[in-house]
Amino acid sequence: MTTDTLHEQKILILDFGSQYTQNIARKIRECQVYCEIHPCTLSLNKIIAFNAKGIILSGGPASVLEKDSPLCDRNLFTLGIPILGICYGMQIITHVLGGRVDPSPHREFGRAELMLKEFSHLFEEVKNNSTVWMSHGDRISKLPNGFKTIAFTGNSPLAAIENPLAHIYGLQFHPEVVHTFEGTRILKNFLFKICGCSQNWKMESLVEHMISDIRNKVGKAKVVCGLSGGVDSSVAAVLIHKAIGDNLYCLFIDNGLLRSGEKEKVESTFRDNFNINLDVIDASEKFLQKLKGITDPEKKRKSIGNTFIEVFEEEAKRLGNFTFLAQGTLYPDVIESVSFKGGPSAIIKSHHNVGGLPEKMQLKLLEPFRELFKDEVRALGREMGMPDGIINRQPFPGPGLAIRILGEVVSERLDLLCAADKIILEEVKAAGLYNDLWQSFAVLLPVKTVGVMGDARTYESVIAIRAVTSTDGMTADWAHLPYELLGKLSNRIINEVHGVNRVVYDISSKPPGTIEWE
Ligand code: XMP
């Protein structure tokens, strides 16, 4: 049996470039139905071959009234597969099927009350007057033949439309965002009442299916996995170990840029609890040596990335003959981006990963999570009995503490940062806030300031506290930590970490700031 049996009942999401497209996919997966996101330009043949139970047309930033606005193959509407158009998706339905879309006199953005007008399967058990989230400029002024209005809002007389005979539905608002209170109910109605899907995307069955998939793919070959201690590689290692046992070898490379106690934690979890073959390599000297004299953030990142590849290759060769390299790549990294989003985005930071390694070592990739979102990987880990301490970890960047030490990375400055960082972690956990924060950590600034301690002048380093909330790391808000906690952090860091006489709190959001300082 392969995961194909779990994919029998799937939904196709055609992406027109909305910032919410991934939310649609995540919501559908939460309803235990498998779905995939593809560019709106997917060919009709591929759409047919996909064999979806239903198709969702996402929103998007364009206007169907503009020349060259993104379109899908219009024959899509003749296939008889149920279709739900959301915002721009609904305007596409109208535009292609002979209705009219006009620019609206006022852009409608934010909350609105949805008034139900006619019975529709889409709104079964949906409360009247519920709050929905609007974000659109254009609006529909004439419906295509065969369509009727099923709901409206103060500013949108045609907030929801349907042609039940053709199984085509449209929503002007976004059911996939939390501000639409009945959004999940509406999506469930589309999935179960209209498309006839069943709930077979379940983590329990997924574990078994993935294990047999890995066995089929790998056979008796050997797999090497770079453990970072983060959620994705940790869950990947446990899953692959369940599938192939001792043919999996994990490598944990200590680059000397880790949080305090990290190496010991990984060793005890994987070697002692899960009995996984694990080699811990202390390469800290090498990493620090190569970082000597470097202060430029990008040069630091490159140096660490290159050293990692060098060490990994050398150690993997020493360990044996591997056919596969396991990686915890997630679905958001895989989804093809649609071309009209405005071309390749500028490199803000070159993220450290093992890019180039598979080609260099001639390894095949084993990426069991290529179809999964992070919350699904966490659920999978929980299903396999992995401890909360690993599943709910805050992310930690590949280049480690090096990008939190502004200026040159030398061992005294590393020790100082590690000590401050440990205090932040302890106190955030003690305040019960660890799981509410996307990340919380210390940054060591490259300046010294004057202070006074015990009647004497000091001239010492500054630590910045960074704590943010976020759902995906793409945008973030600075966390409104309680003053009592900030006070405690400042006191403890200044008293306990020698060489620090000042603590500041970073109150920048992303954008315009980024989460890490380098
Ligand atoms: P920024 O600083 O770009 O960070 O706002 C967004 C998220 O990505 C993490 N981050 C990295 N993760 N390798 C990683 O694996 C990297 O090179 C890297 N740089 C930043 C960062 O911690 C935050 O969660």
Side-chain angles (χ1 to χ4, degrees), residues 228 301 348-353 394-400 403-404 438-439 441 466 468 470 472-476 510 513-518:
S228 69
R301 283 172 173 273
I348 310 286
K349 299 175 185 184
S350 49
H351 273 209
H352 161 82
N353 53 30
Q394 292 179 355
F396 185 70
I403 55 170
R404 297 176 181 172
W438 173 262
Q439 276 168 301
F441 55 85
R466 182 69 164 145
V468 296
S470 172
D472 52 13
M474 303 295 286
T475 59
K510 173 183 179 178
T514 53
I515 297 175
E516 305 288 347
W517 279 40
E518 288 195 335

Side-chain angles (χ1 to χ4, degrees), residues 2 44 62 84 104 165 172 185 203 215 226 249 267 277 298 307 347 359 372 380-381 388 403 424 428 448 459 461:
T2 71
L44 191 68
L84 173 66
S104 169
L165 291 179
Q172 186 58 77
R185 178 79 265 158
M203 289 304 134
R215 284 192 185 132
Y249 288 79
E267 277 187 311
N277 285 324
E298 274 303 288
T307 314
I347 293 181
E359 296 81 12
L372 302 190
L380 205 69
D388 242 31
I403 55 170
I424 294 179
V428 164
K448 290 192 171 180
Y459 186 56
S461 292

Side-chain angles (χ1 to χ4, degrees), residues 10-36:
K10 56 192 176 187
I11 295 288
L12 171 64
I13 300 168
L14 291 181
D15 181 23
F16 290 88
S18 164
Q19 54 176 323
Y20 301 131
T21 303
Q22 287 198 23
N23 285 23
I24 306 176
R26 278 161 61 180
K27 282 253 169 186
I28 290 178
R29 301 263 187 109
E30 274 166 32
C31 299
Q32 299 179 324
V33 174
Y34 182 71
C35 61
E36 284 181 19

